[in-house]
Amino acid sequence: MPQDIQFNVPFPSLISPDAAAARRRNYDWARAHGLVGSELAAQRYLSNDIAGLMARWIPGAVGPDLDLTIDGVIVATLLDDQIDSDLADQPEEVAKICQAMVSVMRPDAAAPRPPSKPLINAFADVWGRLTQGRTAAFCARTARHWRWYLDAYVDEAKNRNRAIMPTRAEHFELRRRSGFVYAMMDMTERAYHFETPERAWNTPQIQAMLTITADVVDTLNDVHSLEKEEGRGDLHNFVLVMQHERRCSRAEAIAETRESIHEWIASFIELTGAVPELCVSLDLTEPERDNVRQLVAGMKTAMRGYFDWSCKTDRYATTNLVRAGQDAYPHDLL
C-alpha cells in the first residue's frame, strides 16, 4: 500500500483475547486437512494471518466460534490463491472448480462423501459447522452469499480472458460478490449466535449499510493489494478502474478512492442513527432489536477490523509479492 495514504475508520479498534490460541488451533486444523503441504506453503499460509483478521472482525468471539470463522475465511482465501494461477483467465476450468464447491452446499451433501480434494473437504467441514442448528432462512442466505463469491470467480476469469477493464458500476456489481463480505457477515451472526430478522435484513436501510460495509472493506483491500494485483495483470481493482475511467494519475485515483471511502463511512454513521426508528417501524420485539443492534455493531468492527489487519498482514507486502506466471500458493489443493 502507498505509504503516504491515510484512512480514517472511526470505529473502536478491538481484538479477541483468544487470537493467539486460535491462530495455533487454525494451523493445526489446516495441516490436518492437507491445506499446508510444504515448508514454503506454511510460510505463505502463516504470513496471511487470517486468524488475526477474524480476531479483529469478530472481537467478541472465542473458542470454537472464532475458530469456525477463521476456518471459513481460510477456505475462501486459499480458493482465491488456487485460482490466482494459470487458471485465472480460464473461465471453463474455474467454473468446474466452483461447481465442486457449490456441490458441498446441496441438501444431500450431509450424506457420506467420497474422498475429495483437500480444499473441498475443508469446505465441507466448515459448511457443516456453519449451518448446524441454524434456521432454514439463515442457511439459504449464507449459501446464496457463498454462491455469489464462487460465481464471481467465473465472471472475473471471463474478463481476464477478454482483457476487459470494467466500468465503475460493473466493478462494484462484481466486487460486492467477489469480496466475500456478505458471507463474512453471516459468520458474524453464527459466531455471536444471533440471527437478523428477515424483515429487518431486507429493508433498504440495512441493505444500504451492508453495501457500504462491503464497499469499504473491498476498496480498502483494493488499495492494499494494488501492487500485488497490478503485478499479476489483474484488472479487478477500484484504483485501476478509476485511473482508467478518469484518465487520471495513480495519485489522483488513490486520492479519489480515499475520499469515496470516507464518504461511505459518513453515510453509514448517518444510517446508524436511524436504526432505532427502523426497529420501531418494523414493530420488532426487544430480542429482535438486539439482533439488529448486534448486526450494526458487527459491521462497524468488520470495517475497522479489516483496516487494522490490512495494515499488519504480510499478504500484500512488497517483499511477499508473487509475480505473474507464478502460483499464488505453492501447493495444489484442487
Side-chain angles (χ1 to χ4, degrees):
M1 178 182 124
Q3 296 300 311
D4 57 346
I5 184 76
Q6 300 294 322
F7 294 96
N8 179 29
V9 185
F11 305 121
S13 178
L14 305 169
I15 187 168
S16 169
D18 199 26
R23 188 176 289 108
R24 293 190 294 270
R25 294 193 299 268
N26 170 258
Y27 187 64
D28 289 344
W29 175 86
R31 287 176 60 84
H33 281 83
L35 302 181
V36 181
S38 68
E39 185 174 334
L40 184 58
Q43 179 182 356
R44 180 69 176 169
Y45 185 96
L46 293 171
S47 71
N48 292 337
D49 192 24
I50 300 303
L53 167 60
M54 297 315 293
R56 292 173 173 85
W57 187 284
I58 314 178
V62 297
D65 294 325
L66 179 58
D67 293 347
L68 172 58
T69 70
I70 300 169
D71 298 348
V73 177
I74 282 292
V75 168
T77 302
L78 291 181
L79 176 63
D80 184 69
D81 285 349
Q82 293 292 292
I83 294 175
D84 193 6
S85 63
D86 57 3
L87 295 172
D89 61 354
Q90 300 182 42
E92 292 183 0
E93 294 303 314
V94 171
K96 292 177 184 177
I97 292 170
C98 292
Q99 187 54 46
M101 299 286 285
V102 168
S103 70
V104 170
M105 299 184 289
R106 290 198 314 257
D108 63 347
R113 298 173 55 85
S116 186
K117 303 299 183 181
L119 197 58
I120 304 297
N121 286 338
F123 181 41
D125 176 68
V126 166
W127 183 251
R129 288 184 285 151
L130 181 62
T131 56
Q132 184 176 21
R134 306 299 292 183
T135 67
F138 175 89
C139 294
R141 170 164 36 101
T142 198
R144 181 171 69 250
H145 294 156
W146 274 90
R147 284 194 297 271
W148 283 2
Y149 181 67
L150 296 167
D151 291 344
Y153 278 113
V154 181
D155 292 337
E156 287 184 340
K158 290 177 181 177
N159 285 348
R160 294 190 194 98
N161 183 264
R162 302 168 186 165
I164 295 175
M165 173 67 78
T167 65
R168 178 185 174 117
E170 291 168 342
H171 167 82
F172 280 114
E173 191 283 326
L174 181 55
R175 196 70 174 95
R176 288 164 187 159
R177 292 185 285 127
S178 71
F180 199 57
V181 172
Y182 285 84
M184 290 170 72
M185 290 308 306
D186 296 335
M187 292 182 199
T188 296
E189 294 191 14
R190 171 61 181 80
Y192 287 152
H193 300 278
F194 75 91
E195 185 171 332
T196 307
E198 284 293 298
R199 63 187 189 280
W201 175 274
N202 291 319
T203 59
Q205 182 172 333
I206 295 299
Q207 286 299 305
M209 296 174 77
L210 286 162
T211 296
I212 290 171
T213 301
D215 289 351
V216 168
V217 170
D218 294 339
T219 307
L220 284 169
N221 176 263
D222 284 352
V223 174
H224 284 95
S225 64
L226 178 58
E227 291 177 298
K228 168 182 176 287
E229 291 173 347
E230 186 175 37
R232 296 181 69 80
D234 200 332
L235 307 173
H236 303 99
N237 184 290
F238 184 71
V239 177
L240 298 178
V241 168
M242 293 308 300
Q243 194 172 356
H244 179 266
E245 192 167 280
R246 300 283 196 229
R247 304 297 183 195
C248 63
S249 68
R250 174 64 52 83
E252 289 171 327
I254 291 176
E256 184 165 345
T257 299
R258 178 180 181 273
E259 182 178 343
S260 295
I261 289 172
H262 290 164
E263 288 176 354
W264 299 333
I265 292 174
S267 296
F268 182 93
I269 292 171
E270 183 177 352
L271 288 166
T272 300
V275 167
E277 182 180 347
L278 174 69
C279 292
V280 171
S281 68
L282 294 174
D283 195 26
L284 299 182
T285 64
E286 185 53 37
E288 288 175 328
R289 295 183 191 194
D290 186 59
N291 289 349
V292 172
R293 287 190 288 266
Q294 288 192 76
L295 177 67
V296 172
M299 287 188 272
K300 293 178 181 178
T301 58
M303 287 184 275
R304 181 55 191 254
Y306 175 81
F307 174 68
D308 289 345
W309 169 81
S310 64
C311 294
K312 297 176 181 296
T313 181
D314 288 334
R315 181 170 175 82
Y316 308 116
T318 55
T319 55
N320 203 30
L321 296 182
V322 182
R323 296 301 177 185
Q326 298 177 302
D327 291 342
Y329 191 71
H331 186 28
D332 183 3
L333 307 176
L334 293 167

